[in-house]
Amino acid sequence: MNIKDLPRIELCNVKTPIEKLNNLSKEFKNNIYIKRDDLLGIGLGGNKVRKLEYILGDALEKKADIVITSGGVQSNHVRLTVACANKVGIKTVAVLVGSEPSKYKGNTLLDKVLGAEIHFADIKNKEGHSTGDLNRLLDEEGERLVQEIKSKYEKQGKIVYVIPGGGKMPPGIAGYINATSEIYSQLQELRINCDYLVTGVGTSSTIASLIIGEKLYNTGIKPLGILVTNTLGSAKAYAERIKTEIDGYLKFYNWDLNITLDDIKLFDAYTGEGYGIPSEDGLLAIKKLAQSEGLIVDHIYTGKAFAGLLDLSKKEFFKDKNVLFLHTGGSPALFDLDSDLL
Ligand SMILES: Cc1ncc(COP(=O)(O)O)c(C=O)c1O
């Protein structure tokens, strides 16, 4: 299957800019560039828009009346699904995994503004669980609720299309495979040579797509993933899972590419305590980027990912190499952060 033949709706028909972070490049003695996917033109932008072009293309082809999707209480994926589905006239049911906040802020506020039907998937006894276990139990409750709502609407005769958290499904991966070729041609036009592409890893579909894209287009720009979640444990465990997922995508689309565990480079030192919990170096990275370059990242994804890039830079991992940071968006979540932490 050729990506060009997949159903797609155009939600962001502009190339997002690639800019140099001049001040940080000087300070860290590395050429650091940024790909501004936070500017992907709808619902305040972010990486999910690229995935949703294909996912909603598929949903429309299947004549869906309703999409149901899930994510954390501050999920960017949920916010962008509602925004993009609104544009194509499909109703969104949002299952937010975690406790209902007393006040809706950041992404939750935007979910409300965008008009999603919002449900919270919570569990009663949270005491005595590790962060990883708790996240797993909450995810299971989220899954259960998604299925319950799906069957409720199906009984009413609706066509329901379920989008897994993070848009992690076959049509969604096409978005960042395309982005790989966009980045490659843009860098060529700008006459910039980049050796690494750094991105945050949550559900992992973005990095999986970038790894496939790198092989498919032979760009020589190595994707490096900074884990923002630790439910599964070590980077090795995530790499093995991503390898299995990539194999699944390759089989699904009948693509003949040889991708091995060596192609999957992940770092698990920047997650902090766990998904959604602000980390010290993540908070410092947020301030560093804001105060050096005027750009905003968040405490759940992009701040932790950028903390990884800065630390690797300090440790001379990128010595004599150029690095591109993929700004995957997420800044609305920052409006839910306790300002005392900064
Ligand atoms: C802002 C932001 N950055 C990075 C990610 C990670 O992307 P993925 O879930 O594809 O690993 C997400 C979503 O999960 C996100 O919302």
Side-chain angles (χ1 to χ4, degrees), residues 46-48 51 75-77 165-166 199-207 228 275 298 301-302 328-331:
N47 61 338
K48 308 303 172 190
K51 305 184 191 191
S75 169
N76 301 298
H77 160 73
T199 189
V201 179
T203 63
S204 72
S205 90
T206 304
I207 188 106
V228 303
Y275 176 80
D298 74 293
Y301 292 101
T302 36
T328 46
S331 44

Side-chain angles (χ1 to χ4, degrees), residues 258-298:
N258 180 28
I259 294 175
T260 69
L261 269 177
D262 284 343
D263 296 310
I264 307 171
K265 299 263 183 272
L266 302 177
F267 295 85
D268 55 15
Y270 309 101
T271 315
E273 271 184 63
Y275 176 80
I277 305 172
S279 65
E280 208 173 308
D281 54 349
L283 293 170
L284 287 174
I286 291 173
K287 287 190 279 188
K288 189 82 195 162
L289 184 59
Q291 292 169 20
S292 313
E293 307 282 350
L295 298 179
I296 305 298
V297 286
D298 74 293

Side-chain angles (χ1 to χ4, degrees), residues 206-281:
T206 304
I207 188 106
S209 316
L210 293 172
I211 293 166
I212 295 172
E214 198 260 327
K215 280 277 157 154
L216 196 61
Y217 300 112
N218 199 16
T219 64
I221 310 166
K222 282 271 157 235
L224 299 180
I226 310 288
L227 284 158
V228 303
T229 171
N230 55 8
T231 318
L232 215 63
S234 64
K236 186 168 175 281
Y238 277 95
E240 280 161 5
R241 193 187 73 185
I242 293 171
K243 166 81 173 71
T244 309
E245 288 164 4
I246 288 177
D247 288 347
Y249 296 134
L250 297 182
K251 199 162 165 216
F252 188 89
Y253 287 123
N254 209 5
W255 291 331
D256 184 19
L257 292 173
N258 180 28
I259 294 175
T260 69
L261 269 177
D262 284 343
D263 296 310
I264 307 171
K265 299 263 183 272
L266 302 177
F267 295 85
D268 55 15
Y270 309 101
T271 315
E273 271 184 63
Y275 176 80
I277 305 172
S279 65
E280 208 173 308
D281 54 349

Side-chain angles (χ1 to χ4, degrees), residues 35-287:
K35 169 75 172 164
R36 299 288 311 277
D37 273 10
D38 56 317
L39 299 179
L40 277 171
I42 179 169
L44 299 185
N47 61 338
K48 308 303 172 190
V49 180
R50 288 191 192 267
K51 305 184 191 191
L52 284 159
E53 287 199 324
Y54 288 92
I55 294 171
L56 290 175
D58 190 45
L60 279 180
E61 199 177 75
K62 297 194 164 107
K63 310 221 176 319
D65 306 296
I66 294 176
V67 295
I68 307 181
T69 197
S70 54
V73 174
Q74 280 300 325
S75 169
N76 301 298
H77 160 73
V78 168
R79 180 226 330 148
L80 286 168
T81 301
V82 194
C84 297
N86 282 352
K87 198 168 162 75
V88 295
I90 302 180
K91 171 191 163 91
T92 306
V93 178
V95 172
L96 300 180
V97 177
S99 313
E100 181 172 10
S102 54
K103 289 269 178 245
Y104 287 16
K105 288 190 254 167
N107 280 309
T108 332
L109 180 132
L110 292 172
D111 295 339
K112 203 167 172 180
V113 170
L114 290 161
E117 178 186 312
I118 303 173
H119 300 259
F120 288 86
D122 204 0
I123 56 168
K124 286 208 176 80
N125 298 318
K126 293 200 178 103
E127 300 302 312
H129 295 293
S130 66
T131 313
D133 273 349
L134 188 60
N135 284 340
R136 197 166 37 248
L137 289 170
L138 283 164
D139 283 348
E140 280 167 17
E141 175 54 16
E143 264 306 302
R144 191 201 61 74
L145 193 54
V146 166
Q147 292 310 320
E148 187 183 295
I149 298 167
K150 179 173 184 273
S151 52
K152 184 189 100 179
Y153 277 112
E154 282 176 346
K155 277 186 199 133
Q156 294 172 15
K158 304 284 187 204
I159 299 177
V160 179
Y161 187 96
V162 174
I163 304 176
K168 179 165 145 168
M169 63 195 302
I173 63 153
Y176 272 91
I177 296 178
N178 274 348
T180 308
S181 90
E182 177 180 312
I183 290 169
Y184 186 61
S185 61
Q186 240 174 327
L187 288 172
Q188 283 194 322
E189 277 163 30
L190 295 166
R191 298 184 184 281
I192 299 168
N193 222 344
C194 269
D195 306 279
Y196 294 107
L197 174 61
V198 172
T199 189
V201 179
T203 63
S204 72
S205 90
T206 304
I207 188 106
S209 316
L210 293 172
I211 293 166
I212 295 172
E214 198 260 327
K215 280 277 157 154
L216 196 61
Y217 300 112
N218 199 16
T219 64
I221 310 166
K222 282 271 157 235
L224 299 180
I226 310 288
L227 284 158
V228 303
T229 171
N230 55 8
T231 318
L232 215 63
S234 64
K236 186 168 175 281
Y238 277 95
E240 280 161 5
R241 193 187 73 185
I242 293 171
K243 166 81 173 71
T244 309
E245 288 164 4
I246 288 177
D247 288 347
Y249 296 134
L250 297 182
K251 199 162 165 216
F252 188 89
Y253 287 123
N254 209 5
W255 291 331
D256 184 19
L257 292 173
N258 180 28
I259 294 175
T260 69
L261 269 177
D262 284 343
D263 296 310
I264 307 171
K265 299 263 183 272
L266 302 177
F267 295 85
D268 55 15
Y270 309 101
T271 315
E273 271 184 63
Y275 176 80
I277 305 172
S279 65
E280 208 173 308
D281 54 349
L283 293 170
L284 287 174
I286 291 173
K287 287 190 279 188

